[in-house]
Amino acid sequence: MAQQSELKLHVVMFPWFAFGHISPFVQLANKLSLQGVGISFFSAPGNVARIKSGLGLTPKAEIIPLPIPQVEGLRPGFDSTAEMTPAMAEVLKKALDLMQPQVKSILSQLKPHFVFFDFAQPWIPKLACELGIKALHFSVYSVISQAFCIAPVRTTGAKIPDVEDMMKPPKGFPSNSAITSIKRFQAENLMYLFKSFDGGPPVYVRAREGLTNCTAVVVKACREMEGPYIDYCATQFQKPFLLAGPLVPDPPKGVLEDKWANWLGQFPAKSVVFCNFGSETFLDEDQIKELAIGLELTGLPFFLVLNFPAELDSQSELTRTLPEGFMERVEGRGIVHTGWVRQALILAHDSVGCYLCHSGFSSVIEALVNDCQLALLPQKGDQFLNSKLVAGDMKAGFEINRRGEDGYFGKDDISEAIKSVMVDVEKEPGKTIRENHKKWKEFLLNGEMENKYAAELVAQLKTIA
Ligand SMILES: C[C@@H]1O[C@H](OP(=O)(O)OP(=O)(O)OC[C@H]2O[C@@H](n3ccc(=O)[nH]c3=O)[C@H](O)[C@@H]2O)[C@H](O)[C@H](O)[C@H]1O
């Protein structure tokens, strides 16, 4: 019997088919493979190319395409939520449930030690257990968001919280947290977690089932950032919470397209405001107008990326929603783009000094490891709590002022946030935010820290394999 420490682990990675989820699973696969762990990666065929390019450090990784069963309401060939409407994404969860037989058959052949699964596949623990495989719930969300949103104490006795309840932290929440409450519009948005679509289980039921039945929970987190929330969740879920570390992305490969590199290159270092809301977060017309004028008011150069729901024509939406005469007025110092951009390369560009974003967790980490000051404009779900963590607990970002009832922000709220972290940098809060950003950047770029977390995680996996 090989010593535990010599055991060559083999794990399967099985993320939800959304790039905000696939990315962290790819990053974890790269960190584990550097520790000698063998990787097999499950996803729908249309996602394989992007996963393959992300698994650069894991050339031996086996990517196994899982065709999505044809279900009414889904379009063949649309394999990630980035190409789907929210309604289609709900149908995709049901289609994933129908994949159990093919997943079971492949796992029975692969016989990995572990399968890392996501919130959407709560049936994995039972299916894996029947094959003698251990199931680990890998949460791509910040632990603060998991602690605040789905702690079991929130739904004792199958009682569903109402908006008032969701505005407050759950019972026993870390008392030193910067969160004393969240705004009404944010709590209303979080009620989505408890909503059933076409009779399917709500997100919180799927997540809770997976968290309850898994062998252990693996989180994209480190004690330094989220220690109190990790302890709170481990107590609440009565499960070991294993830390993968912050999963800092490897330096982006390749070069930025000339059109962006040349445009950015004409501005002084750290002067450009980059504004993007990730792969699946969209602003409405009024928000776009206030955001655009707010960027214009700063007088700083800016690169604004705006995307629109899959069912709309992005280019015509862009023309329709931008303010009258806006593009003419900002000619030469502002560009607006719709569609995918190489975000990690843009954030790493020497001219970019500020990132106004949706507070997506992967995106926030990417800004922290670059010299991009954070202006946070969370739009949904975990983003509200990520923003609280970074701007509240870590004080490494500026949370843009919002009206409590409906989340409204105005052009002045946008320009105030950007000026605080980019112009009035000798005054508070910009001064402290920039100092803390620098401190967290050094921490996150400490390769030893990342390796320590990865090595400790693998050692823990070997003890439970
Ligand atoms: C858990 C999920 O995380 C998400 O945010 P996150 O930033 O992690 O993911 P994306 O913004 O989609 O971005 C995911 C990855 O795609 C990259 N990217 C994105 C857009 C683009 O144009 N170009 C890029 O290179 C980006 O750099 C990041 O690495 C959301 O909060 C979602 O609500 C939440 O459920």
Side-chain angles (χ1 to χ4, degrees), residues 205-247:
V205 167
R206 283 183 182 268
R208 175 77 67 66
E209 206 178 308
L211 286 159
T212 305
N213 301 326
C214 65
T215 301
V217 183
V218 179
V219 286
K220 170 182 166 182
C222 59
R223 281 213 152 275
E224 294 82 354
M225 274 186 183
E226 297 201 85
Y229 306 111
I230 294 163
D231 295 337
Y232 177 71
C233 282
T235 307
Q236 276 286 314
F237 288 99
Q238 289 296 299
K239 280 280 171 201
F241 268 60
L242 310 183
L243 307 184
L247 294 186

Side-chain angles (χ1 to χ4, degrees), residues 160-173:
I160 299 296
D162 61 21
V163 174
E164 300 301 327
D165 297 328
M166 285 309 281
M167 287 174 72
K168 297 187 284 289
K171 201 159 163 299
F173 196 73

Side-chain angles (χ1 to χ4, degrees), residues 16 18-24 27 50 82 118-119 140-142 220 249 274 276-281 305 307 337 339-347 355 357-366 379-384 386:
W16 166 234
F19 279 95
H21 291 244
I22 291 172
S23 259
Q27 285 157 357
R50 215 141 79 174
D118 212 326
F119 80 95
V140 300
Y141 299 99
S142 58
K220 170 182 166 182
F274 173 58
N276 190 11
F277 295 86
S279 53
E280 306 166 20
T281 304
V305 178
N307 291 311
H337 171 75
W340 188 263
V341 291
R342 299 282 309 271
Q343 174 170 298
L345 284 169
I346 293 170
L347 292 171
Y355 179 33
C357 73
H358 60 315
S359 316
F361 203 34
S362 302
S363 298
V364 160
I365 296 287
E366 287 164 8
Q379 295 300 310
K380 63 182 180 180
D382 61 309
Q383 299 167 16
F384 299 126
N386 302 343

Side-chain angles (χ1 to χ4, degrees), residues 255-265:
V255 286
L256 200 51
E257 299 95 313
D258 285 348
K259 63 178 175 176
W260 302 140
N262 296 337
W263 189 83
L264 288 169

